[in-house]
Amino acid sequence: MARGKRLWSISTSLVLCTTLLFACSNNSNNTNSTSTPSDNAGTTAKPTNDGGTKENTEKKVITITYRDDGIGEEGVMYKWIQELAANYPDKNVEIKATPIQASEGDYFAKIALALKSKDTAPDIVTEDTFILNSDASAGYLTSLDDKVSAWEDWTNGSFIEALKKGVTASDGKVYGVPYNTDSRGLWYNKTLFKQAGLPEEWTPKNWDEVLDAARTIKSKLPDVVPIWMNMGKATGEATSMQTYEMLLYGTGERLYDNDTGKWITKSQGIVDALTFIQTINKEKLGPPLSKVLNGQAGNTATREYLPQGKLAISLDGSWITGNYLEGGAAPWPEYKDVLGFAPMPTSKGQAPGSITLAGGWALSIPANAQHKDEAWEVIKFALNKENSKKLVIASGNITVRADVGSDPEYTQMPFNQIATDYLKNAEFRPAQDKYPEVSTQIQTMVESVASGTSAQDAANKYAQDVTRTVGADKILEK
C-alpha cells in the first residue's frame, strides 16, 4: 500500500478526475473525501496549573488519505486508522481517515490533483513507492530528511536498510516512511490441481510449463478459469507491474537501461512477453474480457473466483491473503491449506530461475499539508513496531521492519516466509520521473493485445508512444 508537474499525458483525464475529486469531497459519508478538515474540529478540556480546566479550541485534525478499493469501513486501512485514532496519546490531536474510493490508476490521478492545493491536500498521504519520485520531483511532497535522522527507529536498524531506497527520490532525499513491501508469484488452487491430475506442490520451471498447466485445467475442468492476469488499462499499475513487467523481466530484458539512461523500446523480450499474453487470450485460457478489463478485475479474481474454486492460477501479489483473514474482505479460513504460492519462472528457465517485482507503500507528508509537525508525530506512532505489525499482519503484506520480521506473530503467518524468500530475486521499477507515463503506455499496449492486436503490432505502437513521451534521444532499440 503510494506517489503541478505530475506527468499525465492525457489532459482530458485530468478534467474528468477534477470533476470526480470535487464530487467526492462533497460526499457526506467521507468515503471519497480528500478535503482537509478545519483546525478547530472539536474541543478538549485542558488542565490548568491550579487544578482546574479550560477549554482548548485548537484541537488539530490530522487527515490520512489512502485508496479504498470498494469495501469502505470494512477495509484494513480504515480499521487500522480508527485504532490509531483511538489509541493516539495526544488527545489534542484527532486522526481522521479520508479515503478515496477508486481504481488504482484513478487513485493516482486524484491524488495528483489533491496535492496541488492547501484546500485539498491531506496531512498524510499513502504513496505507492513507484510514483513517490515523480511526486517529489513535482514539489508535492515534504522532505523528511531532518525528521528521520532524528528518529531512533530509522537510525538504529529497525527498518530494513535496502527498503529505504523505495522512499528516496532522485535528489537523494527521503519523502516517506515505508509501511510494507511485497512480492509476486503464481497463486494456485491445490484442490483444482489435484482434480486435474496436476501436482499439488507445483514449481513450474519455465513459461511453457505454466501454459501447459493452464491448458490441462481447461481440458479437465472446463468450468474453471485456468489463469488470471491483469490486462486492462482500468487496473492501472497492476497491469504494468505484476503482469507485463513480471513477464518482461523474466525474459532477462528491462524497461530502462541504467548504463545509457535510456528507455528500451524495441527488444525480443518485449515481443516474447506480449506473445505470452496473446497466447492466453487466443487459447481462451483466461477469464472473459468483460471481467479482466474491468477496474475491479483484481478484486474479482482474489475475492470471488479463487475462494469459490472458479480459478486455478492467479499471477498476483503476496498481499492477497489479507482478504481471507477473519475480518478481511472475503474471509476464507481454508485458504492456507487450499492455496499454493509458486515462484514465477523465467521465460526459459534461465538464471536466476524465477522472478518477482517488489513494490510497497509509504506514508508521506504533502508540501501543502497544514499540520506538518503533528503529521510527523502521527507517522512515528503509526509506524512503530506494534502498529506496523498490526497493519502488515491484517493486510497480508511483507514488513519493512526487521524487528517485525523476527516477531513470532508475524513469522507464523502462512506464506510470509515464502513471499519474503522471493525477494531474493526481486527487481524494481525504474526510479525515473517518466515512469508513470511509460506505465500508462504499457497498460494501453497490454490491453490492445488482450483485445486482439498482434504482439508485434502492439510492440511497434508502444515504441512510437514511448518515443513521443520521453524523446527520441532517450530510447534504446535492441
Side-chain angles (χ1 to χ4, degrees), residues 191-205:
T191 302
L192 296 177
F193 266 48
K194 183 177 181 179
Q195 291 173 5
L198 293 167
E200 293 181 67
E201 298 303 321
W202 183 55
T203 306
K205 295 181 174 58

Side-chain angles (χ1 to χ4, degrees), residues 77-91:
M77 280 296 288
Y78 182 85
K79 292 179 179 179
W80 180 69
I81 292 171
Q82 293 304 106
E83 185 172 353
L84 294 178
N87 296 326
Y88 194 60
D90 186 350
K91 299 308 177 185

Side-chain angles (χ1 to χ4, degrees), residues 32 53 73 76 94 135 162 187 254 283 295 303 401 439-440:
N32 301 326
T53 61
E73 295 183 3
V76 169
E94 177 184 346
D135 278 352
W187 292 99
R254 299 294 179 266
E283 298 186 21
R303 298 173 184 173
R401 291 189 61 120
S439 178
T440 299

Side-chain angles (χ1 to χ4, degrees), residues 1-3 67 77 104 107-108 125-133 135 141 159 162-168 175-184 237-238 241-242 245 317-319 356-364 383 391-392 395-401 423 426-429 435:
M1 315 172 90
R3 301 281 172 232
R67 177 184 165 233
M77 280 296 288
E104 191 170 56
Y107 174 76
F108 299 137
V125 60
T126 59
E127 288 270 316
D128 190 321
T129 53
F130 97 92
I131 212 160
L132 182 143
N133 181 62
D135 278 352
L141 300 178
F159 281 83
L163 297 178
K164 294 179 182 179
K165 295 178 182 178
V167 292
T168 305
Y175 286 92
V177 178
Y179 58 84
N180 67 32
T181 188
D182 47 49
S183 60
R184 287 151 179 79
E237 191 60 19
M241 184 183 187
Q242 64 202 50
E245 290 165 40
S318 54
W319 62 85
T356 196
L357 266 287
W361 289 76
L363 295 183
S364 297
L383 300 185
L391 180 58
V392 292
S395 61
N397 284 113
I398 302 173
T399 185
V400 295
R401 291 189 61 120
L423 291 173
E427 295 285 349
F428 299 86
R429 292 162 289 187
Y435 175 77

Side-chain angles (χ1 to χ4, degrees), residues 91-351:
K91 299 308 177 185
N92 288 321
V93 170
E94 177 184 346
I95 301 173
K96 184 176 182 181
T98 53
I100 293 177
Q101 190 177 94
S103 67
E104 191 170 56
D106 284 346
Y107 174 76
F108 299 137
K110 290 180 180 183
I111 283 298
L113 292 171
L115 297 182
K116 286 184 178 181
S117 169
K118 289 183 180 294
D119 293 330
T120 54
D123 295 294
I124 298 172
V125 60
T126 59
E127 288 270 316
D128 190 321
T129 53
F130 97 92
I131 212 160
L132 182 143
N133 181 62
S134 180
D135 278 352
S137 298
Y140 289 172
L141 300 178
T142 300
S143 168
L144 302 179
D145 276 14
D146 292 343
K147 305 289 189 185
V148 295
S149 63
W151 185 27
E152 185 178 1
D153 279 21
W154 190 260
T155 59
N156 67 4
S158 294
F159 281 83
I160 298 170
E161 198 65 31
L163 297 178
K164 294 179 182 179
K165 295 178 182 178
V167 292
T168 305
S170 55
D171 63 3
K173 296 179 180 179
V174 172
Y175 286 92
V177 178
Y179 58 84
N180 67 32
T181 188
D182 47 49
S183 60
R184 287 151 179 79
L186 295 167
W187 292 99
Y188 66 99
N189 187 307
K190 293 181 178 181
T191 302
L192 296 177
F193 266 48
K194 183 177 181 179
Q195 291 173 5
L198 293 167
E200 293 181 67
E201 298 303 321
W202 183 55
T203 306
K205 295 181 174 58
N206 52 51
W207 289 359
D208 284 341
E209 291 190 9
V210 175
L211 291 172
D212 286 344
R215 290 169 180 136
T216 299
I217 293 290
K218 181 181 179 181
S219 173
K220 299 291 182 64
L221 304 172
D223 293 330
V224 171
V225 173
I227 186 169
W228 193 308
M229 303 187 301
N230 289 299
M231 296 185 185
K233 291 183 287 187
T235 42
E237 191 60 19
T239 294
S240 299
M241 184 183 187
Q242 64 202 50
T243 294
Y244 177 73
E245 290 165 40
M246 284 284 287
L247 293 169
L248 179 70
Y249 284 40
T251 70
E253 195 53 86
R254 299 294 179 266
L255 280 175
Y256 184 84
D257 185 80
N258 288 314
D259 293 335
T260 62
K262 295 183 178 183
W263 295 89
I264 301 169
T265 56
K266 288 188 178 181
S267 72
Q268 188 58 48
I270 293 174
V271 176
D272 288 349
L274 295 177
T275 299
F276 186 91
I277 296 168
Q278 179 177 280
T279 299
I280 286 175
N281 287 282
K282 270 191 171 182
E283 298 186 21
K284 299 189 184 304
L285 299 176
L289 287 184
S290 61
K291 296 287 186 182
V292 80
L293 300 185
N294 187 287
Q296 291 298 313
N299 288 341
T300 301
T302 300
R303 298 173 184 173
E304 297 178 28
Y305 276 59
L306 266 179
Q308 292 171 15
K310 299 191 296 186
L311 172 62
I313 306 167
S314 182
L315 177 56
D316 214 322
S318 54
W319 62 85
I320 72 166
T321 56
N323 290 287
Y324 309 137
L325 303 178
E326 183 179 355
W332 182 22
E334 300 82 11
Y335 82 92
K336 58 185 176 296
D337 300 315
V338 175
L339 289 181
F341 192 33
M344 180 65 186
T346 51
S347 58
K348 296 176 180 171
Q350 69 271 35

Side-chain angles (χ1 to χ4, degrees), residues 349-468:
Q350 69 271 35
S354 66
I355 195 75
T356 196
L357 266 287
W361 289 76
L363 295 183
S364 297
I365 301 176
N368 280 320
Q370 296 188 23
H371 310 302
K372 294 182 182 180
D373 289 340
E374 292 84 357
W376 173 245
E377 293 303 316
V378 169
I379 288 176
K380 288 197 298 181
F381 176 74
L383 300 185
N384 65 26
K385 180 186 175 184
E386 286 306 310
N387 289 325
S388 292
K389 182 174 69 173
K390 289 176 183 177
L391 180 58
V392 292
I393 288 176
S395 61
N397 284 113
I398 302 173
T399 185
V400 295
R401 291 189 61 120
D403 49 9
V404 173
S406 60
D407 190 285
E409 265 190 276
Y410 174 81
T411 57
Q412 70 182 5
M413 293 294 292
F415 303 109
N416 269 5
Q417 190 58 56
I418 297 173
T420 303
D421 287 345
Y422 290 171
L423 291 173
K424 295 174 183 176
N425 294 329
E427 295 285 349
F428 299 86
R429 292 162 289 187
Q432 302 294 324
D433 290 348
K434 290 290 185 181
Y435 175 77
E437 289 183 271
V438 172
S439 178
T440 299
Q441 306 298 348
I442 289 171
Q443 294 154 30
T444 299
M445 173 177 62
V446 171
E447 181 167 312
S448 71
V449 172
S451 301
T453 302
S454 72
Q456 188 62 64
D457 286 347
N460 292 340
K461 179 66 164 54
Y462 170 76
Q464 295 171 4
D465 291 340
V466 173
T467 300
R468 184 173 61 252

